[in-house]
Amino acid sequence: MTLAACGGPPETQPAAGLSTARRAVTTGPDFVVTEIFVPGLVSGNFPEVFAFATVCNVGFEEGLPTVSAYMSTDPVVTQGSPSNPSPDTYFGSASGSYSLSPGLCETIHIGDSPWPTEGVFYLGVFVDPQNTIPEVNEDNNTRVSGRIAVGYKPDLIVTSVTGPTSAKPRDEFTTQVKVCNQGPLYTWAKLELYLSEDTVITPSSSSSDSPDEEVGYVNYIDLGSGKCQTLNIHTYTERTGTFYLGAVVAPVNGEPELSESNNSLADSRISIGEEPDFVVSAITGPASVELDSFALYSVTVCNQGTAGGSADFELYLSEDAIITPEGPDRPDVDHLLGSHSTYYLDPGECRTQEVGGYARSQGTYYVGAVVNGDRDIDELREDNNTRVGDRLSVGSGPDLVVSAVTGSTLDSEYPLTASVTVCNQGTAPNLTDADVRLYLSLDPLITPGAPDAPSPDYTVGYEYIPSIDPGECRTVSINSWAASLWFGAHYVGASVNESGSWPEELRSDNNTRVGNRIGIGDVPDFVVSAVTGPVSALPDQAFTTSVTVCNQGHWPGGTHVQVYLSDDTVITPYTQYDSSPDYYFGEGSTNYLNPGECQTLSIEWWNPPEGRFYLGAVAALGNYRDSAEVLLDNNSLAGNRIGIGSKPDFIVSAATGPTSAHEEEPFTTSVTVCNQGTATDSPSVDLYLSKDEIITPYSPYSSSPDFNVGRGYMSDLGPGQCQTLEVEGWAFVPPGTYYLAATIDSGGGGDDERELFLDNNTRIIEQFTLTH
């Protein structure tokens, strides 16, 4: 990259895992654009900005690649011609340095063309744009870059909106909204939360009201360039019905943005009312049965509504993935296996029951279940009652599947050793050997070959597996020296019965499986195996993060390490091409690491920002996109969370209580609370009995489906201190089996400012039986 940018001699490298035996046509080159290098942000006075494209020849003959590039305001980039000009903006053209041999790649400098003044754009690169070179495949010559923001303005976007599936009218519920600033300029923003009948969120303005209902807002959000914030908005509504939860973010005082079309998002649905809402959450059962045999399945039905109730559910066999329940005004499209009642389900409760019937027709079918198919029960939603599970084969014969395939990174001196497990999930054994073939693939899709259509993947070995009885599995090892010929990153995959030695298989569409991704080459492979640090810190306090880096490749080498604070578990390093949405706060370098060797670095941070973060690290950052490693997508890791600020952080570190009690009689629970935060406070402890493992504390704005049966108060608890409290409970609730749980500071109304973290305040103690 650097040599090409400086005008030096071009570099070529092996096409990373691109086999030259990929097509049925065996003459000519085949050019593909494997990567585009452009900046993600272009700000300030940059009249000319670089653009590079890596082109690989995956064909069978050499050829000189040429490329052209166009700028577009959307990801659909259209190439132009003299007779048909492109609607997009021409960026530039370039040719390779010399004819590119099969299996090699070159990074081509497209040019330093002027960029638009401002906006959001995409760069599309076309190789052999005029189709002047006959290629093996003419359909793989295009690649589009990621989003490019040009200009010195903020660019706000809502990336996710998640909330509960149901709520009662006037009961408080919490919606989590993540907003980001993708532009280069810091800004303050306001966020508004809406309930909408469609996915189009229309905010109110000074001139018009919104057709959607605004149910919450955050007036000021502090967003620097590339930064994100996740907000918890507590709200309620008096309306009833099913709505989309959507959010709109915009700069305070109407500050202009790079793009004004990406400020809203509708990302989840919520039903408001006082009715049940039944859904089929899981279907499990056999993969095959003999004709006229009994097929028994486990069906799990949940009530995700706000009121209790019961309904009937039915199990069907269908020739397609659309389940049509029987009824007086509906045709009998699918075959009814059996039916059952859910019995009474409280809100949030699930129940698994077995149901089945006789499979009367030979073939392969989808298994599906429908709850409340006759619409006998009023529900919050009627469009979520159906679920399709796995497929069932009915008949006599084997059904061979690859259940697992794994391989390891290797260099040119060692063969690829792969372990392949084959199972027979049919109803009869395969009486003769079946072939198992090992593949290397550029993508997580294994495509077996045929006489008239060779596989696009590279076959590197095969083995035969003897007869397997129904329900049994066998594992074989396949060694391949041929795999060492293909430098780069590959998926390991396998197929069974590719030769069709068992045409009587019940199914032939489930014979392949893709396994893990490996790197092949005489290079190191660095991974971050551990990232640890404190769980809390003050904003003006220094703390140290420990990062362990290992070389799991077959070649020695050293690497560079950077440490970040991230809003999520995705750690994104900054590079010379792109900024990072995470907070960079330190770096270090390892010694020379031999294969299999690890080293732990201690990296110190001063004056961290306030907030809740994940500690994360990235290795192999020298140029990050170069070929120093085969695998570059396994170099980052998110470690523990850290809360930064002057607040407490209470957790229930231990709790013991009785397994049973008589109704209306007291019982005692011992609860140990620790403060892993940075400030002193005096928490309270509540005891709850719940029908499930989801504990929902009361708040000033909403009720709870669980039962609060006791409360205790603690004295001041300083940072690092723990205290054990004996809490007396009184169970004035119906007899039955519950989960006994302890939670801290319930009833606080979900105020996010009380503690560094609020999602670690609850502990399930044990199952608890209340008797007469």
Side-chain angles (χ1 to χ4, degrees):
M1 279 293 296
T2 303
L3 290 176
C6 295
E11 292 185 293
T12 61
Q13 65 268 14
L18 300 175
S19 168
T20 58
R22 295 175 57 87
R23 302 285 184 266
V25 181
T26 56
T27 59
D30 186 12
F31 298 119
V32 296
V33 181
T34 61
E35 194 159 12
I36 299 174
F37 300 102
V38 290
L41 278 175
V42 181
S43 59
N45 185 22
F46 291 99
E48 294 183 347
V49 181
F50 64 84
F52 298 87
T54 298
V55 177
C56 297
N57 183 359
V58 298
F60 304 98
E61 297 178 0
E62 68 177 27
L64 179 66
T66 60
V67 296
S68 64
Y70 291 80
M71 296 280 299
S72 173
T73 56
D74 55 51
V76 180
V77 185
T78 304
Q79 180 184 204
S81 67
S83 60
N84 188 19
S86 171
D88 301 320
T89 303
Y90 175 74
F91 183 85
S93 299
S95 296
S97 301
Y98 52 84
S99 191
L100 200 60
S101 298
L104 293 183
C105 303
E106 181 182 0
T107 298
I108 300 174
H109 182 199
I110 300 175
D112 297 326
S113 298
W115 291 62
T117 305
E118 65 180 28
V120 175
F121 303 93
Y122 298 84
L123 185 71
V125 177
F126 303 86
V127 63
D128 189 23
Q130 303 303 323
N131 291 328
T132 57
I133 301 176
E135 294 186 70
V136 175
N137 185 357
E138 302 286 357
D139 298 328
N140 58 355
N141 290 9
T142 304
R143 192 178 187 92
V144 179
S145 74
R147 180 181 181 278
I148 307 165
V150 182
Y152 198 66
K153 292 179 181 178
D155 186 20
L156 299 177
I157 183 172
V158 179
T159 62
S160 65
V161 182
T162 57
T165 57
S166 63
K168 291 181 179 181
R170 296 172 296 280
D171 270 6
E172 183 193 61
F173 60 90
T174 301
T175 301
Q176 192 173 78
V177 183
K178 184 176 181 180
V179 294
C180 299
N181 179 7
Q182 301 181 128
L185 185 65
Y186 163 93
T187 189
W188 289 87
K190 178 181 180 180
L191 182 132
E192 297 172 346
L193 183 68
Y194 287 88
L195 290 179
S196 174
E197 294 184 354
D198 52 39
T199 57
V200 179
I201 308 301
T202 306
S204 301
S205 67
S206 57
S207 59
S208 64
D209 294 332
S210 171
D212 307 322
E213 179 189 7
E214 182 179 349
V215 292
Y217 63 89
V218 177
N219 261 332
Y220 291 100
I221 310 169
D222 186 3
L223 285 172
S225 173
K227 304 305 178 185
C228 300
Q229 278 198 40
T230 299
L231 309 167
N232 290 317
I233 303 176
H234 309 285
T235 187
Y236 75 96
T237 181
E238 297 184 359
R239 298 173 67 185
T240 59
T242 297
F243 307 95
Y244 288 91
L245 273 169
V248 178
V249 64
V252 175
N253 299 326
E255 182 181 7
E257 298 182 69
L258 291 178
S259 174
E260 306 286 350
S261 62
N262 58 356
N263 293 72
S264 65
L265 178 70
D267 203 24
S268 64
R269 298 182 76 182
I270 182 172
S271 298
I272 310 295
E274 298 190 43
E275 294 174 338
D277 183 20
F278 299 111
V279 296
V280 180
S281 64
I283 305 172
T284 58
S288 62
V289 295
E290 294 275 5
L291 182 64
D292 294 326
S293 294
F294 193 80
L296 184 65
Y297 279 80
S298 293
V299 180
T300 301
V301 179
C302 298
N303 179 5
Q304 60 182 25
T306 57
S310 63
D312 292 331
F313 66 90
E314 301 167 330
L315 188 69
Y316 288 90
L317 294 183
S318 175
E319 293 184 355
D320 54 36
I322 300 173
I323 308 300
T324 305
E326 294 181 356
D329 56 346
R330 294 187 297 268
D332 295 342
V333 177
D334 302 324
H335 173 61
L336 176 65
L337 270 185
S339 61
H340 209 296
S341 172
T342 65
Y343 301 119
Y344 190 87
L345 293 175
D346 288 320
E349 186 178 7
C350 299
R351 181 173 289 117
T352 300
Q353 297 177 105
E354 291 187 331
V355 63
Y358 288 91
R360 301 297 189 185
S361 300
Q362 186 164 313
T364 298
Y365 303 92
Y366 291 90
V367 182
V370 180
V371 61
N372 195 26
D374 290 331
R375 305 289 191 261
D376 294 335
I377 308 299
D378 291 333
E379 294 187 74
L380 293 177
R381 291 178 62 180
E382 304 284 0
D383 59 351
N384 59 353
N385 296 110
T386 303
R387 185 180 188 90
V388 177
D390 294 331
R391 298 176 75 184
L392 173 70
S393 295
V394 181
S396 180
D399 183 18
L400 302 178
V401 297
V402 179
S403 63
V405 53
T406 56
S408 59
T409 298
L410 70 154
D411 66 6
S412 59
E413 297 182 2
Y414 297 91
L416 167 64
T417 299
S419 174
V420 182
T421 300
V422 177
C423 299
N424 182 0
Q425 60 181 24
T427 58
N430 56 305
L431 299 179
T432 59
D433 293 349
D435 57 301
V436 180
R437 303 200 182 193
L438 187 67
Y439 286 92
L440 293 179
S441 175
L442 290 175
D443 52 43
L445 179 66
I446 304 301
T447 306
D452 57 344
S455 171
D457 306 318
Y458 188 54
T459 307
V460 295
Y462 65 92
E463 188 59 77
Y464 288 96
I465 200 160
S467 175
I468 308 176
D469 289 331
E472 290 190 346
C473 300
R474 292 183 186 272
T475 300
V476 295
S477 293
I478 302 177
N479 297 327
S480 172
W481 285 95
S484 62
L485 299 175
W486 304 107
F487 175 91
H490 304 263
Y491 290 91
V492 180
S495 72
V496 63
N497 196 27
E498 185 174 321
S499 63
S501 58
W502 269 97
E504 298 84 1
E505 261 201 291
L506 294 177
R507 290 179 63 182
S508 58
D509 60 349
N510 59 351
N511 294 95
T512 63
R513 177 176 287 269
V514 66
N516 62 304
R517 198 158 176 253
I518 68 169
I520 300 175
D522 298 337
V523 291
D525 183 22
F526 299 110
V527 296
V528 178
S529 62
V531 182
T532 58
V535 295
S536 64
L538 291 167
D540 57 353
Q541 174 185 351
F543 66 86
T544 299
T545 299
S546 177
V547 181
T548 301
V549 179
C550 299
N551 179 5
Q552 64 179 21
H554 286 271
W555 205 259
T559 187
H560 195 60
V561 179
Q562 288 186 346
V563 185
Y564 290 83
L565 295 176
S566 176
D567 291 322
D568 50 39
T569 57
V570 179
I571 311 301
T572 305
Y574 76 82
T575 70
Q576 64 188 40
Y577 311 106
D578 293 303
S579 60
S580 170
D582 303 326
Y583 292 92
Y584 163 80
F585 72 85
E587 61 185 65
S589 296
T590 69
N591 300 328
Y592 217 59
L593 298 178
N594 291 315
E597 188 177 1
C598 300
Q599 182 181 355
T600 299
L601 305 176
S602 294
I603 300 175
E604 192 173 46
W605 164 269
W606 290 86
N607 298 321
E610 290 193 52
R612 306 175 176 100
F613 305 99
Y614 288 89
L615 286 169
V618 183
L621 290 170
N623 188 9
Y624 195 67
R625 298 179 186 268
D626 61 16
S627 298
E629 293 184 70
V630 176
L631 297 176
L632 284 174
D633 55 1
N634 63 348
N635 296 93
S636 64
L637 181 70
N640 63 278
R641 294 194 304 174
I642 180 172
I644 301 174
S646 183
K647 300 174 186 176
D649 184 24
F650 299 113
I651 62 168
V652 180
S653 62
T656 58
T659 59
S660 64
H662 292 290
E663 62 178 337
E664 301 184 10
E665 290 186 1
F667 61 91
T668 301
T669 300
S670 177
V671 181
T672 300
V673 176
C674 295
N675 182 1
Q676 57 182 21
T678 59
T680 300
D681 204 345
S682 53
S684 62
V685 177
D686 287 303
L687 298 180
Y688 277 89
L689 291 179
S690 174
K691 284 290 188 180
D692 53 39
E693 296 182 82
I694 301 174
I695 310 302
T696 307
Y698 288 99
S699 81
Y701 311 102
S702 65
S703 59
S704 170
D706 306 324
F707 300 101
N708 188 326
V709 295
R711 167 169 284 201
Y713 298 90
M714 290 187 163
S715 56
D716 283 350
L717 204 58
Q721 293 182 342
C722 298
Q723 187 180 142
T724 300
L725 182 69
E726 301 296 319
V727 183
E728 186 177 67
W730 288 82
F732 294 101
V733 300
T737 300
Y738 300 87
Y739 288 93
L740 176 62
T743 183
I744 303 169
D745 272 345
S746 64
D751 182 2
D752 284 351
E753 300 305 317
R754 292 182 296 123
E755 293 185 52
L756 293 177
F757 293 102
L758 282 178
D759 58 0
N760 58 356
N761 288 7
T762 300
R763 186 185 186 97
I764 301 290
I765 302 173
E766 56 190 316
Q767 282 199 308
F768 180 89
T769 301
L770 188 65
T771 62
H772 284 290

